[in-house]
């Protein structure tokens, strides 16, 4: 599969390292990480943990040396054996794979094709499918410029940087081969000449097929279709979604993959259902039966409680592609356009969520509370007079990705044994968290906090060298202190997430952060969507405070929030803060990641938290859905919890210097959140409730 030059200089004895580098399996198997580090630590650092790039940087002599080094070989053999055994396990019995479609996949920073939570969930899902041996294939798009990068200007404004970040040779991607070289396919109806090339990323056992239009065969304007994630250009966005849905299904067909189930993660890939319909009709089913079968075999997960958060395209625009497509394949154009019309505002345009709701037998929201909200929002949408049933499957996180591997995972290995890796969703396994000695958990956590602060200092130093103004460098976290209670707030900056709720009363905040005996510091991180001016203003607001000497350098705003930084933050701060405006946080997952690392959640009762909060595993406030100004009462509740409960608990040290009361909350967070809010529990639920019945419906009559 790979170019010969890439592997010829690697000795036969250790050539398996090439396959390991090209399978993101290594990202959640710590011993595989250790192997790459041991191979060449400098290249590992220089490539920012990208083994594919690393293999190019390492001189041939180093490979020759490694192939002679008994210690390296022992580790190599062990990792390779484990990898091969994992790949060879029999899969769960399903009549065909689940094809999981999503506009973004956040698997690892070396594959920058994600923006945030939706993509991270998709990446975690594929990893879990691999762990569970659930037959699944992923389908997504490559964005050659990735998602936006933001640099904070001197005045605090985040400046968008769009740059080419994806160079196919330096990422864990390989071109898929067809019978005559690289697989390049025409996408029907989208300008007769548009072609997509299909690439493949390996997520353990799960293949992730990624499409790009940025290839020489296409005109410049068509190449641009797969340059940017979540472009605001409506026509470009529609084309992306057409390429993802229709092109994605065509790619699977060309590869001989016949999915039993389609799972649409959010509405963007919903055109896949059109192509599914066409395929069933091509196999001989009349329209109504093909429609019923498409429906019976589709799972649709909706993520936004904001009706405005769904894509609605003008009918005329959709018809430009859908019209010729329907004509070419004998599909009833008007009936299909109508499936995308919202009953409450049929003229508004083709609504991707409404279309997906009508064509999916299995629909779910991502937390119980979101389920209630979604049922309300979409109650008027019907299919053939029948109500659309929206259930809830609460999100989870992939623990082996998100629990910090060097210290925290090892601590769990020591006290929980191998059981937590084998049955992460079994609450009884986690009971033994209580047996971890306080001083050990505290020491591990303190070390993660120091690692986070050192990482932020290194980043600040780099920006200083690049010429950033001194005050900016301080605001990036140079003055953080590992002995101070540290709050973390990292997420997309947008109005409903209210990153400024903590700033509501500046005098009260100043008292908290500058308290001479029991100070608090806050680390903020996040990007705003390029078109979200309000979100950018919020970044500016936070950054100005971070630069204000009155706050003593105890407020930091960190650039470049991505999966890499997220892993440092969720393990390294002391308390994870979440303050969205209820009921707008569908689930939220960063608090789950933090809790599993022993970083308790301080959150408004929205999203997953009403299910997760036990009274002893973190802190909760508010949550009611009240119209009018909520910021005052919510901020007051937040300050009160900090002042009266969290700060005293954190600084209440025993003679051994350890805050035993606080450590009790940390343990409760790990013990109660990990088994319930992990992807193992989540994916098993999808399997039992949706994939199983849908696959059965697919197998019936082929
Ligand atoms: C987990 C994660 C998110 C989602 O977090 P929310 O709590 O849902 O806002 C976003 N971005 C990154 C990089 C993440 O790791």
């Amino acid at each position: 599969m790979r170019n010969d030059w890439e592997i010829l200089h690697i000795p036969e004895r250790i050539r398996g390292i090439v396959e390991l580098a090209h399978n993101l399996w290594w990202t959640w198997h710590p011993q595989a990480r250790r192997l790459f580090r041991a191979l060449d630590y400098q290249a590992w650092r220089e490539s920012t943990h990208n083994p594919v790039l690393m293999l190019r940087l390492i001189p041939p002599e180093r490979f020759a040396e490694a192939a002679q080094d008994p210690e390296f070989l022992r580790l190599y053999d062990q990792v390779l054996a484990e990898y091969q055994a994992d790949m060879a396990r029999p899969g769960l019995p399903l009549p065909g794979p689940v094809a999981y479609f999503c506009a973004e996949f956040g698997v690892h920073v070396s594959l920058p094709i994600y923006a945030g939570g939706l993509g991270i969930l998709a990446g975690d899902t594929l990893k879990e499918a691999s762990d569970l041996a659930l037959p699944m294939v992923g389908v997504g798009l490559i964005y050659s410029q990735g998602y936006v990068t933001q640099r904070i200007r001197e005045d605090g404004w985040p400046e968008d940087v769009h740059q080419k970040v994806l160079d196919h040779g330096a990422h864990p991607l390989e071109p898929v081969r067809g019978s005559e070289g690289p697989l390049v396919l025409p996408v029907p109806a989208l300008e007769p000449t548009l072609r997509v090339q299909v690439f493949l990323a390996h997520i353990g056992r799960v293949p992730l097929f990624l499409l790009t239009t940025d290839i020489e065969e296409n005109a410049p304007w068509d190449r641009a279709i797969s340059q940017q994630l979540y472009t605001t250009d409506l026509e470009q966005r529609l084309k992306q979604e057409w390429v993802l849905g229709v092109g994605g299904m065509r790619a699977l067909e060309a590869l001989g993959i016949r999915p039993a189930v389609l799972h649409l993660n959010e509405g963007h890939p919903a055109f896949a259902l059109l192509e599914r319909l066409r395929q069933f009709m091509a196999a001989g089913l009349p329209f109504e039966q093909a429609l019923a079968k498409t429906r019976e075999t589709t799972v649709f997960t909706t993520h936004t409680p904001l009706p405005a958060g769904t894509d609605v395209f003008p009918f005329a625009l959709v018809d430009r592609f859908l019209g010729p497509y329907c004509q070419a394949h004998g599909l009833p154009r008007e009936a299909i356009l109508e499936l995308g019309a919202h009953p409450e505002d049929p003229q508004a345009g083709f609504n991707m969520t409404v279309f997906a709701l009508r064509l999916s037998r299995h629909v779910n929201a991502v937390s119980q509370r979101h389920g209630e909200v979604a049922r309300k929002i979409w109650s008027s949408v019907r299919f053939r007079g029948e109500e659309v049933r929206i259930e809830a499957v609460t999100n989870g996180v992939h623990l082996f990705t998100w629990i910090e591997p060097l210290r925290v995972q090892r601590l769990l290995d020591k006290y929980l044994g191998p059981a937590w890796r084998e049955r992460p969703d079994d609450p009884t396994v986690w009971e033994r968290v209580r047996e971890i000695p306080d001083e050990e958990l505290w020491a591990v956590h303190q070390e993660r906090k120091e690692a986070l602060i050192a990482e932020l200092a290194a980043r600040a130093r780099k920006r200083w060298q690049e010429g950033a103004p001194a005050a900016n460098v301080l605001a990036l976290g140079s003055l953080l202190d590992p002995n101070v209670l540290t709050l973390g707030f990292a997420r997309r900056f947008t109005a409903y997430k209210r990153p400024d709720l903590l700033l509501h009363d500046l005098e009260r905040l100043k008292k908290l952060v500058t308290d001479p005996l029991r100070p608090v510091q806050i680390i903020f991180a996040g990007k705003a969507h390029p078109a979200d001016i309000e979100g950018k203003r919020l970044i500016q607001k936070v950054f100005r405070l971070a630069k204000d000497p009155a706050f003593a350098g105890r407020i930091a705003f960190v650039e470049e929030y991505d999966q890499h930084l997220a892993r440092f933050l969720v393990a390294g701060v002391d308390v994870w803060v979440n303050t969205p405006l209820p009921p707008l946080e569908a689930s939220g997952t960063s608090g789950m990641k933090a809790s599993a690392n022993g970083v308790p959640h301080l959150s408004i009762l929205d999203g997953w938290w009403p299910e997760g909060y036990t009274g002893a595993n973190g802190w909760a406030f508010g949550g009611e859905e009240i119209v009018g100004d909520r910021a005052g009462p919510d901020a007051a509740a937040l300050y009160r919890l900090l002042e009266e409960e969290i700060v005293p608990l954190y600084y209440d040290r025993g003679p051994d210097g350890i805050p035993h009361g606080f450590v009790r909350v940390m343990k409760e967070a790990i013990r109660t959140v990990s088994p319930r809010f992990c992807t193992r529990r989540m994916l098993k639920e999808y399997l039992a409730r949706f994939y199983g019945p849908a696959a059965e419906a697919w197998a019936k009559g082929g």
Side-chain angles (χ1 to χ4, degrees):
M1 289 303 253
R2 279 163 280 272
N3 297 330
D4 282 347
W5 66 263
E6 269 189 79
I7 55 169
L8 274 183
H9 61 285
I10 300 179
E12 189 69 43
R13 176 68 177 84
I14 57 168
R15 211 168 272 177
I17 199 121
V18 179
E19 184 170 340
L20 273 181
H22 283 82
N23 191 326
L24 288 154
W25 183 88
W26 71 263
T27 63
W28 75 97
H29 292 85
Q31 61 287 27
R33 291 180 98 95
R34 215 177 315 143
L35 183 71
F36 288 116
R37 258 201 313 273
L39 179 61
D40 189 327
Y41 185 64
Q42 195 182 334
W44 170 251
R45 292 292 301 260
E46 268 174 37
S47 68
T48 54
H49 306 182
N50 175 353
V52 174
L53 182 57
M54 193 183 150
L55 292 185
R56 287 174 155 194
L57 299 175
I58 298 176
E61 310 85 72
R62 178 58 207 131
F63 285 113
E65 242 170 66
Q68 304 285 332
D69 174 354
E71 208 175 312
F72 180 83
L73 289 177
R74 205 172 325 116
L75 183 59
Y76 171 84
D77 288 338
Q78 181 208 328
V79 171
L80 213 69
E82 196 191 333
Y83 168 74
Q84 285 164 347
D86 195 8
M87 296 304 117
R89 275 184 304 148
L92 296 182
L94 274 188
V98 176
Y100 187 90
F101 281 75
C102 189
E104 49 168 315
F105 285 90
V107 182
H108 185 254
V109 278
S110 62
L111 199 56
I113 54 168
Y114 64 94
L118 183 72
I120 302 282
L121 176 75
D124 277 11
T125 299
L126 298 194
K127 290 171 187 170
E128 187 60 56
S130 176
D131 290 347
L132 252 186
L134 175 74
M136 183 179 271
V137 300
V139 182
L141 296 179
I142 290 175
Y143 306 91
S144 45
Q145 296 184 346
Y147 186 54
V148 70
T149 303
Q150 281 170 348
R151 282 296 165 89
I152 311 295
R153 287 193 323 218
E154 188 154 16
D155 64 355
W157 190 258
E159 201 155 54
D160 300 335
V161 185
H162 291 285
Q163 56 196 11
K164 190 164 174 97
V165 293
L166 223 112
D167 159 9
H168 295 162
H171 297 273
L173 279 176
E174 58 191 57
V176 174
R177 309 259 162 210
S179 46
E180 300 141 29
L183 184 61
V184 177
L185 301 164
V187 179
L190 202 59
E191 274 107 278
T193 51
L194 179 78
R195 304 175 86 77
V196 290
Q197 185 175 354
V198 186
F199 283 81
L200 172 59
H202 298 277
I203 319 301
R205 303 163 54 100
V206 174
L208 168 57
F209 296 102
L210 294 166
L211 278 49
T212 178
T213 67
D214 195 1
I215 53 174
E216 273 170 24
E217 286 92 325
N218 287 330
W221 44 92
D222 287 336
R223 296 185 69 151
I225 292 173
S226 57
Q227 268 171 4
Q228 273 173 35
L229 185 51
Y230 301 134
T231 167
T232 40
D233 178 324
L234 210 58
E235 181 171 343
Q236 203 71 307
R237 192 149 166 154
L238 174 62
K239 285 179 177 175
Q240 285 183 336
E241 295 183 10
W242 187 269
V243 168
L244 172 61
V246 179
M249 285 298 284
R250 285 282 162 107
L252 294 182
E253 190 181 35
L255 292 163
I257 296 170
R258 301 181 64 225
V261 181
L262 296 196
H263 186 164
L264 310 179
N265 196 37
E266 194 49 294
H268 314 109
F271 290 127
L273 300 177
L274 208 57
E275 179 64 10
R276 180 85 155 166
L277 191 60
R278 181 199 69 78
Q279 289 178 2
F280 286 140
M281 286 174 73
L285 291 182
F287 175 70
E288 277 300 323
Q289 277 180 40
L291 196 63
K293 184 145 186 167
T294 298
R295 220 173 157 258
E296 287 301 316
T297 61
T298 302
V299 180
F300 169 49
T301 303
T302 173
H303 288 263
T304 170
L306 283 170
T310 65
D311 282 323
V312 181
F313 298 111
F315 284 113
L317 194 59
V318 175
D319 201 31
R320 263 177 50 200
F321 315 123
L322 197 124
Y325 178 86
C326 288
Q327 188 159 27
H329 300 298
L331 293 167
R333 168 180 153 268
E334 280 174 32
I336 289 171
L337 280 173
E338 244 168 64
L339 288 169
H342 197 304
E344 289 165 31
D345 191 3
Q347 280 109 52
F350 190 91
N351 184 313
M352 296 296 281
T353 298
V354 169
F355 182 68
L357 283 171
R358 290 207 175 106
L359 286 194
S360 306
R361 164 75 179 72
H362 306 281
V363 179
N364 73 286
V366 290
S367 71
Q368 296 297 333
R369 177 158 195 190
H370 178 221
E372 289 160 27
V373 175
R375 281 189 284 276
K376 235 184 272 168
I377 295 177
W378 303 109
S379 62
S380 64
V381 179
R382 278 158 200 274
F383 179 75
R384 304 281 184 261
E386 208 185 300
E387 222 174 290
V388 173
R389 276 225 326 265
I390 302 181
E391 302 187 40
V393 176
T394 305
N395 283 342
V397 295
H398 186 247
L399 297 179
F400 309 119
T401 294
W402 291 106
I403 298 183
E404 189 281 322
L406 291 180
R407 294 286 176 268
V408 188
Q409 287 195 21
R410 279 194 203 165
L411 188 69
L412 296 177
D413 287 337
K414 183 170 166 190
Y415 288 95
L416 277 57
W420 82 273
R421 294 185 183 275
E422 289 153 13
R423 305 193 308 279
D425 58 331
D426 178 352
T428 61
V429 165
W430 296 87
E431 286 302 314
R432 288 165 72 181
V433 168
R434 292 186 166 125
E435 291 163 25
I436 302 175
D438 285 6
E439 53 279 12
E440 253 182 270
L441 179 57
W442 186 248
V444 161
H445 173 68
Q446 202 55 28
E447 198 195 84
R448 293 332 301 161
K449 190 167 167 185
E450 280 164 20
L452 163 67
I453 290 175
E455 169 72 16
L456 301 189
R459 287 171 182 233
R461 177 174 297 112
K462 188 154 163 276
R463 296 288 285 124
W464 175 236
Q465 287 175 306
E466 289 167 4
N472 276 39
V473 174
L474 292 188
L476 294 174
S478 306
L479 294 176
L480 293 172
D481 178 345
N483 296 310
V484 168
L485 169 60
T486 305
L487 314 182
F489 182 102
R491 46 181 52 82
R492 183 157 56 91
F493 270 59
T494 192
Y496 87 81
K497 297 216 183 212
R498 298 194 296 183
D500 58 343
L501 193 73
L502 267 167
L503 320 182
H504 188 76
D505 181 341
L506 289 180
E507 283 314 308
R508 215 161 158 183
L509 178 68
K510 201 180 294 170
K511 270 215 189 88
L512 270 170
V513 303
T514 57
D515 187 291
L517 292 179
R518 305 185 306 180
V520 174
Q521 60 192 4
I522 313 172
I523 304 176
F524 288 94
K527 295 176 190 172
H529 186 279
D532 185 354
I533 300 302
E534 182 55 29
K536 290 184 171 177
R537 266 200 204 108
L538 288 166
I539 290 180
Q540 188 174 40
K541 190 167 166 186
V542 168
F543 202 79
R544 284 190 171 154
L545 279 199
K547 280 171 74 166
D548 184 343
F551 292 87
R554 295 217 197 272
I555 294 179
F557 180 91
V558 191
E559 294 169 322
E560 292 308 291
Y561 180 49
D562 64 7
Q563 203 170 353
H564 188 58
L565 181 60
R567 283 165 53 106
F568 274 98
L569 287 167
V570 296
V573 301
D574 297 309
V575 173
W576 196 256
V577 180
N578 183 43
T579 54
L581 187 65
L584 299 183
E585 188 68 283
S587 166
T589 52
S590 56
M592 303 172 185
K593 302 167 191 168
S595 297
N597 278 289
V599 172
H601 201 207
L602 161 56
S603 171
I604 201 157
L605 282 165
D606 196 22
W608 72 284
W609 198 226
E611 288 161 70
Y613 179 58
T614 62
N617 62 353
W619 300 272
F621 62 96
E624 318 80 36
E625 190 177 334
I626 295 174
V627 253
D629 181 24
R630 279 298 306 166
D634 282 345
L638 180 59
Y639 290 128
R640 197 200 59 77
L641 275 174
L642 284 166
E643 292 159 353
E644 294 176 16
E645 294 189 30
I646 300 168
V647 172
L649 196 63
Y650 182 86
Y651 285 105
D652 177 15
R653 305 297 167 102
D656 52 4
I658 293 166
H660 293 281
F662 192 86
V663 173
R664 202 172 312 126
V665 183
M666 292 170 67
K667 286 188 191 174
E668 280 300 288
I670 302 176
R671 184 182 74 82
T672 58
V673 171
S674 311
R676 283 189 59 203
F677 300 95
C678 62
T679 42
R680 180 66 53 91
R681 188 274 306 148
M682 177 190 84
L683 206 56
K684 277 182 166 177
E685 245 186 90
Y686 275 110
L687 178 61
R689 294 168 61 185
F690 302 154
Y691 298 162
E696 212 170 284
W698 181 78
K700 239 188 290 165

